[in-house]
Each structure stands twice: as structure tokens, then as C-alpha cells.
Amino acid sequence: MTISSPVRLGLIGAGWIGAFHAESIARRIPDTELVTVADPVPGAAERVAAPFGARASLDAADLITDPAVEGVVISSPAFTHADLVVAAAQAGKAVFVEKPMALTLEDADRAISAAASAGVPLQVGFNRRFATDFAAARALVLDGRVGTPQLLRSLTRDPGLANPGAVKPWTIFNETLIHDFDTLNWFNAGASPVEVVALADALVAPDFKDGGLLDTAVVTIRYDNGALAVAEANFSAVYGYDIRGEVFGSAGMVTAGDIHATSARYFGADGAWAETSRLNIDLFRQAYTDELAAFAVAIRTGEVAGARGEDARAALALALACRASVERGTVVRLGADGRVLG
Amino acid sequence: MTISSPVRLGLIGAGWIGAFHAESIARRIPDTELVTVADPVPGAAERVAAPFGARASLDAADLITDPAVEGVVISSPAFTHADLVVAAAQAGKAVFVEKPMALTLEDADRAISAAASAGVPLQVGFNRRFATDFAAARALVLDGRVGTPQLLRSLTRDPGLANPGAVKPWTIFNETLIHDFDTLNWFNAGASPVEVVALADALVAPDFKDGGLLDTAVVTIRYDNGALAVAEANFSAVYGYDIRGEVFGSAGMVTAGDIHATSARYFGADGAWAETSRLNIDLFRQAYTDELAAFAVAIRTGEVAGARGEDARAALALALACRASVERGTVVRLGADGRVLG
Amino acid sequence: MTISSPVRLGLIGAGWIGAFHAESIARRIPDTELVTVADPVPGAAERVAAPFGARASLDAADLITDPAVEGVVISSPAFTHADLVVAAAQAGKAVFVEKPMALTLEDADRAISAAASAGVPLQVGFNRRFATDFAAARALVLDGRVGTPQLLRSLTRDPGLANPGAVKPWTIFNETLIHDFDTLNWFNAGASPVEVVALADALVAPDFKDGGLLDTAVVTIRYDNGALAVAEANFSAVYGYDIRGEVFGSAGMVTAGDIHATSARYFGADGAWAETSRLNIDLFRQAYTDELAAFAVAIRTGEVAGARGEDARAALALALACRASVERGTVVRLGADGRVLG
Amino acid sequence: MTISSPVRLGLIGAGWIGAFHAESIARRIPDTELVTVADPVPGAAERVAAPFGARASLDAADLITDPAVEGVVISSPAFTHADLVVAAAQAGKAVFVEKPMALTLEDADRAISAAASAGVPLQVGFNRRFATDFAAARALVLDGRVGTPQLLRSLTRDPGLANPGAVKPWTIFNETLIHDFDTLNWFNAGASPVEVVALADALVAPDFKDGGLLDTAVVTIRYDNGALAVAEANFSAVYGYDIRGEVFGSAGMVTAGDIHATSARYFGADGAWAETSRLNIDLFRQAYTDELAAFAVAIRTGEVAGARGEDARAALALALACRASVERGTVVRLGADGRVLG
């Protein structure tokens, strides 16, 4: 689809994923233009903006109110997300925000309300929804090919955190497994979680266990349609990024995710060998690009194709339930509003 | 290896797996001889024994005390297993017993003690240990190729129960997932479970949920080496028998299990297609045969290569913990003796 | 199927494949009995026969005329096959002969005639027809799932010849690729070859090239239904036995063959890894056993399920055409009788 | 890599691949700019140029001499390629030309000379060199992981020609298999073909066989390092685009190519299923884009990373040898200059 004039976007946050988004907006996506990059760290926005002829700013507020900006892409640290979503929405800008959209349900509700009041599109960066294999798997589920879902699985294994000390408390649930929670909710569309139990530990970096600095977790979720789902994460996959999903139901099963870097295969005296994917942006290059292309379409059409604010809230509710389950050491029940009961 | 004279075996229980074992003993395994088949159902033992020229009996006790029998293979209903193991051991016979070896820890302890006192080999029918892919996976774990196990998975998806009413209470844990529990313990050799939580339901046959007639379950286990393991079962896999295992650790991952019936692949106008495995005895034909061949070797050498009585007790302890977790609706802790605490 | 009394077989040739067949007959196949093993090498027959309580003989003629023998399994050197088939048939015995059944078309015709005159089953050891994946692939072809065959492929890569000096002239066509020729004819059932061109070389052991001691070959065949087929062989596959087949046609494609030893997979810091198949009798254990089980059934029913004498002749005709193509350095045409024209 | 100012490209030929290249230049590739599109068909250039703000022209000569154009991308019909390469080179422009670069060796030599004389980069559109799996396979070959190549394979199966009447004589060799010839030469780097034999037919559209309108072909090539290679093509693959490569050698084997559209897999009551790739520009989207990105780099650095004029000539020599082999019905030998002997 060709859009007559490019969609003008501003980017907040010039870290690694911000830099990748900047290049996508400027170079990989037809019909988008990178107007401004904002980051409070001196020089950071400049480094990302300059190669594409975009402006750089230290101040996100300026970017948000800039009339040249039609949509805002937020890839700053997680704790800043909700306030930026609210500010951008109130300024009448379409919003794409990296996960997690918020760290509390109150903040998630504020963000959703602000976008709804302003009538602007609000899309959240659950990029797996745009990965071709995950999208194909979900299409089969929606087509009824697996029947009623009964068992689901989603896992994230990360090749390793350079600096374990940088892991924030509950990051494994709030920033990593939140991807899996969205995937599970999306695969099991229309159902709501009613029970959650999480077992977790600091196996990679045991010294950081205190205060919730966990690196290994298994979460089981019971949904109100009877389905049982497992989400799993770990931060030390030496073989590369490993992201997989599975939906089993009364009529069949779908799986998605492939650890191999390419389809090339080698067979030698020691057996069969293949290269594995090492970088998140290699594994999900297409998904990261397509989710922003969809955002550009959303700005023109008003239709959000990816995860919405409500989806981000639902995934967050599961992350918060995991924390409660770990702290209580037991199964927790969720109310209709996604809050932990009792 | 050729053994000078065949190992003479008696078979108790002439159901479908008994019939398969009879043919393995009589025809598929070098160096074994089927002497007698016993089953209390009139005609049942005769039907299984006759084609191989073996004797038939209605009375297991006669078979056990028959001096012509060197080893007893027990494939009668689960509730009879422990007493038959004890009787056979006391008669000085080597014992192969189908899983579960017992339904209570007391009975498991009695069976183990009887074999130990008599100095006879006691092997339990956890056939996955003999499947070439599971064995290859475990060899890689023992070689240190996955490092310290951190996340494990074992699943059983059965193509369907002909008669849901025939499912006994807690069968999913005691007779199905007990395979997965043994696989997980065997993969994570040397570690002991300390916490268990099971979520389960009757999704296939909801009318039978009362009384523990469950058909879908997810179990999470925490081991004392920090590893978290998931076991999963369901009784309605329309695509066939699906048995898989996975061990992820600090140095890598191994997976085992393949749903495809053969390596033949078809590509047509509708896409790619392959046949899937339909029958347990197709999927595990080699494993069912090799576990009995190993039993014959154990009778001659005294060395049990498969699962021992202690392994069966450890798997049973997990099955019983699952029942407690479902009944209490929470995470349960296990003591050093495998019993649920509190 | 259970047959009332075992089929009594005599085995001629106590080499490695003879020893494997002996164990299959004695131990792996229901309803067969190993009566005698004959081999002119002193002690060879005894070594193979003794573990199974069979008689040993230095003289194949004695075995053939022994009234206790119902069927003869011939696994002696290739140059002896045709005469032994004729002698056994004339003695009224059913015959299973390893490939190649003969080394000339005249000998092939003599063997076929002898069996036909005597009214005895004649089965040839093209074991790939019994491999589950090749059989599944061919069933799809017969079901019309690939439409009219247009392109076929069959390859044999052998992990290595211990002693290149032992390779006889034209072995690559007569003893190795003859498997692929049968596979291609069987996949493309009903069609006849009309043109053949072979390019070959001694790449593994160049010193032995003179006199046809070739180790690498590519053969292209044009069939009278228009299909073009490629057969390929090499004797130095360091990664193990690699046997694959492919049929592409107007409605789709089927492939068969898998290099991996099991479905176990390993993922480590260096990438993905799997074990490969090393031994022919590992890769085709099931096929080698099932072809003899089918021979036993043929003796009882008169119906040959595997390759017949005519099939062996057709495969041999292609091997001889390859020799002519290599010697002439050009494409050769085949007559209706399979002989090279011109 | 970021280049300070965009590389300004002109595109000749506004057919389907021209349109795809235009969008790649304008939108998908960092650092390139689409200046002009030329096509003699009224309106064709306009349709492709307009969405990207590029100029449109009916006249390739104007485009070639336009000082605003730094490099020319030629995707016009094959018969025009050589003259356009010469003209562009003489005008001092870098040249990217779709395969085949020429249809005669004389034209190929003219094109190569023109680029050499002008000192401009000349890159040919053998896009498989940029496909990640083919590139990974070749890197393993160059690393010595397969040892000395002994058997190679490259195949092209196309999902179908909409209009068989549009197939030009010898298209299967000149325009389709020329991809496979380049792949084989590139995999077997440093070796030269010495013998070629082609068997071909019109199986899909038999009415068009006269005059070389072939749709199915198998080509065998002997190289001067002893390696034997097979190239295969067909125009009626109902399951989608199927492009595969294989290199087997003294130390191992590599394979490349995957028919599946994504890694999503479905398992249902009828077995296992997966979607297959349908469109060339889906299968090779990344390769088509990256080859043009490499061309932009070549313009700035002078280093051609893809196939050069000499590579295109070598592939063409094989296509012409195939025609000679089909016309003579025999094996043909090639001289050192790539011409058919005799």
C-alpha cells in the first residue's frame, strides 16, 4: 500500500532498540519519516538522529508538542512509559510504546484512558505478534484448526545479560515474560486468566536473588476457558535467542519459533551442525520493522493492528500476579479486573 | 551379546501390553523364552500364550513358584503390582514390573525391600529410558553438554481414551505423568524435588471431573539443585502420540521426541505434509523391546540398566504430591523421604 | 500374522550381512527358523550358525537339497548369485537373494526362468523398499499425490570403504547404485528407461581408477513417461550413511531419507548439533528384518511383496548401461529388452 | 555502514522485478535514492517511478547519460542487457544487470571489456549469493568444512508459468538454470567445467517443445577438480518456489534452501502440515534487497561483492553448452574459454 505523504514520527529514547527503530523509520519502512529523536543523555539523540538527517533534542516534551510530529515512538526506560503515553495522547499524537506500557495497573489505566479520550491510536511493542511464524500460528488458531485451546506454551530464552547487576527487581516478569504473557493471551483470544502460579530463582547470578533479581522462571496460568498455559524464561541461553510458542487443543496443535539462524545445514565427521540465532534484532528484524509499519498505517487509518493498551494491561496483570505468587509462595487467583485476590 | 541358554520368563497379565511383551519375549528378543502366561480372565492367557507355544495359567501364584521361570514380567492392572513384586521376589525371581510399581509409598517401600532382601533384580517399565532419542539426550546431559540443568520439560499427549469412564481417579498422575516424572528425575540425575504444584482439569470429558477423573494437567517441580521442571499431559491429541523431552542448562539444551511417523515428507498444492505417529507401540516399539532385552541381561549379570525400584518410588512420590497440590489448590513441599509436608 | 509352524530357512554366505540375516531369522522375526548356514570358508558358517543352534556346512549344494530347508537366503559374493538362484529354484526352494541377483542379463534371465519354471517365490534384497520412509513415499506416489513423475532422485553415500583395493571393477554401478536404480524404477512404476548417461570418477582413491574402480558417480536416466531421474553415489561420506530419495511431479513432491541417527537435538555455544547414522545395519535394521519377514510370508502365500527377479533384471540393465556410457563417454539408448543399443 | 550522501540510481525496465527493485532502492535500502526509471512502454516507467517521487522516461539512453545518475540498474528483457551494459559503462556509470548479462559469449566479452575499460563496477543479479542460507553454506565450503567438493547440486523449481507460450527458446538454460550454474560455479570456486550433458523435455507444456521451449531439465557437469555437479529445473512446482543447493566433499556436506514459508507447524487429525513459499520475491526478498545494497557499496568503494561480469560469462557458457548437448544428444566438452569443443 502506498500512502501519499510519509508519516512523520518522533522517537523518544536513543538506546539500542531506539537506534534500531530510528533506522527502520528512516530507511526500512516505506512511507515513514524520522523527524526528531529525543533523549536526556547528552549526545545520545544526536548520534541516532544525525545519520538520517533528523533533529535531536534533550527534551521529550518538546518532541511531543512539535506540530511536525504525527506519531510518537517511545523506547525510553520502562518506568517512564506511562507518563509519556499520557502526555503524547494529550497532545493529540498517535502513540507506539515499547513494552511494558506501564508498571502498575493504575498507570496502565491512565494510559489507556488518555488515548481513548484523545481518540489517538495506542500501539504497544509486542513484536512477536508481527513475527511471520507466530502470526501464521495464531491465524491457524483463529481458523479453528486447533479447536478449543487446552495447553499453551510460550518461552523466552535470552543469550545472556552482560551485567547481571543491571537487572531490576521483577524484570523477568515485567519486561521479559510480559512478552510471553501477551503471546499466550493473544493465542487464547477471548479467554481470561483466573489462576497464576510462578516458581522462580536466580540460577545464573545467585548473588542477585535478593530483592527479586530473578533470572529463571516458570509460570502456569489457568484461563477461564479451561486452558492451562506455561510461560518460561531464562537469561543465559548460550546457544542464542530462543523464542517459541505452542497451542494444543481439541483439534490439533500449532508451534512457532525456530532457533536456527538460517536453513543452511552442515554434516561432518562429528555429526550434523547448524548455526543458531544470536541477536534479538536478527531473530525479530522483520517483526520489529513490520510493527512500526503497522503503526504508520494505524496513524492514517485509525485501525491498530498490533497490541493495544488493553492488551498491555492484561499482560501486566499477569506479571504482577507472578510477583504476588512468588512472594506468597502459592497459587494466586485473579479477579475480573486482573487484580490478585485475597 | 549372545547368552548361552535363553532366559526363561513368565508373564503375568494378558492385556494389550502383555500381549506385546509376550511377542517380544518369544520372537523379537534374542535369548529369551516365554514359558508361561498367567491371567485370571478365562481364555486371556491362552490367547496370548498359544501362538508361541507357551503354557497358560489362571493363577499368577503358580507361575511365580514355577521352577522353570527365572524372571517374572508383571503387566497386570496397577493395583496388583506391589503384591506381585513382593511375591515374585520372595520366590527368588527377578522382576520386571510395568509402571506404576505401586500406588502408595508404603507399597513401593515393601516392593523395594523384598527385592533387596531376596537379592533379585527389580526393573520398572519406564520405557522412555530405552527410546534412542531420549537415551541420546540423557547421555548428552551426563556428558555435561547442557551444564547445570535449569529448566526441564517432559510431556505426554495421548491420542485419546476410547472410554473416558474407564479413567480411574488420579490416573493422569499415577499412570500417565508418572512416565514424565521418571524422565525428569532421570534427566536431572542426583537432584531431588522440593516443591510441586499441579493445575489440572477435565477438559476432554468434563462429566468425569468429579473424583479426580482428570484429562489435562500441568505440573511444575522445583528441584534442590535449583532446576525448574514442567510435566504436561492430555488425553486427546488428535494428531497421534506426542512424547517430548527437553533439558536446558547453563551450557546448552537437548531435546528429544518427534511426532512424525517416518522421515517421508510430502509437498503439494496445499503446502507441506507428513504422517504422524498413531500408536504407542509404534512410537516405542524399539524401547518396549529393548527394556525387556535389558531385563534378560540383568537376570544373567545382576545389573539393572533401566529404572529401579527406587526410581519408581521417586516418580510415585511426585504423582502423590500432584494429588495433594490439586486437592489443596496450592504449592506443596516435599520432605527428604518424598512425602508431602504439612 | 501368526503362521502355524515356523518357516525353515537355510542361509548361504556367512559374511557380515549373512551374519545379520542369520540373527534376524533366528531371533528377530516371528515364525522363521534358521536350519543351516553354508559357507566354503572353514569355520565361517559355524561361527554364524552356532549361537542359534543351526547346522553349519561348507557346501551350499547340500543346504539347497536338504529337505528340511523350505527357503534359501543367498548372501554369498555377487558372482555366485545367479547359479545359486538357479540351483535352489530347481531344487524347489523359495529363494531370497541379495542384490545384485546377477551380473549379466543372460544370468538374470536364467535365474528368472528357473524360478518361474519351478513355481517358487524369488525375492531380491532391495531393502529400501521396506524402509518405512521410502515405503511411505512410494505409497504417496501410487496414490497419485505427486501426479505424473517428472524429476526423480536417489542417492547413496557410504561412510567409506575400509580397503579401496577391494572395490571390484564397476562395483559402484553393479552393487551400490543398483539400489538406487531399483528405487527409481519402483518410484516411477510402469515406466521404462530409454536413455542413460553416467559421469564417474575415482576421487576418493584415484590410484584405483584404472579398470573401472570408481568411487563417485552421477547417472541421469530418461524414462519413456518423460521423467528424468538422477542417481548419485560416493564412497567417502564422513558424516555417515546417507540414503535419500525424491519424486517430483505435476501434483507435488515426496522425499524420503534422514541422515540423523535419532530425533535428539543439542544446542550449545557453537550452534545446533545432532548425531548422524554411521552403520548401514543401524540405518536399515528395520528394513533388513522386514524384507526377510516378507520372504517368510511369500513362502507361505506365494505372494512376493518385495523386489522380484524382473525388478532385479531392470536394475541390472541400468547398471550395465552406465558402464557402456562411461566407456563410450556419451549418452546411451536402451532397447525394449533393456540392452544398450548401437 | 552509513554513507554520507545517498547513492543515486537509475532503473531501466519497469516490469515486476524492476518494480520490486524500485521500491528497494527508494524505501528498503539505507543510502540509495531512485532518480529515474526508464521503460519504452508508455506509462510503465511512470507507474513505477511516481510513488517514490522519481522521474520517468521512455528512453534508456537519456537515463544513462543523465549526470544525476551514478549507477544504472538494468532489469529490461534479457536480449537488451549486453548493449545496455556497454552503453552505461561507456557513460562511466556503475552497472547492476539482471541475469543473464548476455545471451552470447561475444556479448558477454563486450560487456566485461566495456566495464573494465571504463573502470566501473559491474555486478550481475545472481541473487542467491545474497540469500543468508546459501551464503552461510558457501562460507562453510570456503572454510574447508566440506573438504574437496565431489558432488554438488542446485535446483530451481518454479510454481508455474502463467503463459507457456511466452517461454522463449532455451529459456530454461539461459534464464532459469543460469542461476544454478552460477551457484555451482560459486560453490566450487576455482574449478572450471570440462564436460556437460543435459537431458531436457517439455513435460508441462508438450505443445511447445519444438524450438527448444523446454520446461524440465537435468544437467550434469564435470569440473576440472573432479567434482560432478547436477542442476535441475522445472516450471510446474505446485507447492511453491523450491530453490535448494548442496555441496558434498571429502570432509562433509552442506545444504541450503527451505521450502517452508515460516517455521510455524500444524499437527492435526490428518497429520503434520506447514505452509510453503509461493512467491519468488517472498523467498528471496532479503537477497534481492541486499544485492542492491551491495551494489551501492560497490559504487562507493569500487569493490563488487556479488557476481561479476566474468561470473556471468561462466554461467552463460554452461547454458550454451546445455543447448549444444541437447541438440547433439550427447556429452559435450568445453575448452578453456568455455566454448563447446568439436
Side-chain angles (χ1 to χ4, degrees), chain D residues 181-201:
Chain D
F181 299 147
D182 181 64
T183 297
L184 294 170
N185 288 340
W186 178 63
F187 275 153
N188 196 19
S192 297
V194 292
E195 284 187 348
V196 173
V197 60
L199 299 190
D201 210 335

Side-chain angles (χ1 to χ4, degrees), chain A residues 21 51 58 81 121 172 208 229 247 306:
Chain A
H21 285 329
L58 292 169
H81 288 180
I172 197 165
F208 293 90
V247 185

Side-chain angles (χ1 to χ4, degrees), chain A residues 61-147:
Chain A
D62 283 356
L63 183 153
I64 284 171
T65 54
D66 182 347
V69 168
E70 297 179 83
V72 176
V73 174
I74 301 169
S75 55
S76 51
F79 74 89
T80 68
H81 288 180
D83 286 345
L84 289 168
V85 171
V86 170
Q90 287 174 347
K93 304 301 163 70
V95 184
F96 177 97
V97 61
E98 273 298 331
K99 35 59 59 178
M101 181 182 71
L103 293 171
T104 65
L105 294 180
E106 291 73 20
D107 275 356
D109 288 333
R110 279 202 303 131
I112 293 166
S113 293
S117 300
V120 295
L122 168 56
Q123 184 181 339
V124 185
F126 289 117
N127 58 315
R128 294 183 199 175
R129 293 190 178 206
F130 289 87
T132 54
D133 51 354
F134 277 79
R138 202 228 183 192
L140 290 163
V141 175
L142 289 196
D143 281 355
R145 297 283 292 274
V146 307

Side-chain angles (χ1 to χ4, degrees), chain A residues 144-147 248-254, chain B residues 159 236-241 259 273-278, chain D residues 266-273:
Chain A
R145 297 283 292 274
V146 307
F248 168 92
S250 56
M253 172 174 68
V254 290
Chain B
S236 67
V238 300
Y239 54 89
Y241 260 96
I259 306 171
W273 178 86
E275 195 184 349
T276 46
S277 279
R278 297 289 156 172
Chain D
Y266 174 71
F267 302 86
D270 294 327
W273 177 86

